[in-house]
């Protein structure tokens, strides 16, 4: 099965958890051009009324959030759940 979230690849506990579950597993990760993906995500959110901002404002906001996270001024928490 596939996973649509790009954050899954960058969650630090994930590689260790995968190794624990199946050390012999071989994975293939495919990713889209990040700019195309971001514009597509924005277009879908905007189309269905979830994001009323302009594309330019949405991109500016995301860049600002990214900088805040890097500087430790904003925290984004990820959780890895095992089933």
């Amino acid at each position: 099965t596939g996973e649509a979230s790009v954050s899954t690849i960058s969650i630090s506990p994930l590689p260790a958890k995968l190794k624990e579950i199946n050390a012999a597993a071989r994975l293939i990760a495919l990713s889209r051009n990040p700019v195309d993906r971001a514009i597509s995500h924005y277009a879908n959110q905007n189309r269905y009324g979830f994001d009323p901002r302009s594309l330019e404002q949405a991109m500016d906001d995301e860049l600002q959030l990214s900088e805040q996270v890097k500087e430790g001024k904003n925290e984004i928490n990820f959780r890895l759940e095992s089933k």
Side-chain angles (χ1 to χ4, degrees), residues 6-44:
V6 294
S7 63
T8 302
I9 295 171
S10 64
I11 298 174
S12 59
L14 183 61
K17 188 67 174 175
L18 291 172
K19 185 176 180 180
E20 176 187 323
I21 293 168
N22 184 351
R26 298 293 180 247
L27 305 175
I28 297 173
L30 302 174
S31 62
R32 291 173 62 186
N33 175 310
V35 174
D36 292 344
R37 191 216 52 83
I39 292 171
S40 174
H41 178 79
Y42 164 80
N44 282 313

Side-chain angles (χ1 to χ4, degrees), residues 26-71:
R26 298 293 180 247
L27 305 175
I28 297 173
L30 302 174
S31 62
R32 291 173 62 186
N33 175 310
V35 174
D36 292 344
R37 191 216 52 83
I39 292 171
S40 174
H41 178 79
Y42 164 80
N44 282 313
Q45 295 288 66
N46 185 267
R47 179 181 304 120
Y48 295 110
F50 297 119
D51 193 344
R53 300 173 293 175
S54 69
L55 175 59
E56 181 179 11
Q57 185 62 55
M59 293 292 201
D60 286 345
D61 292 348
E62 290 299 318
L63 288 171
Q64 184 178 6
L65 175 62
S66 178
E67 288 301 317
Q68 290 172 354
V69 169
K70 282 186 210 175
E71 296 169 2

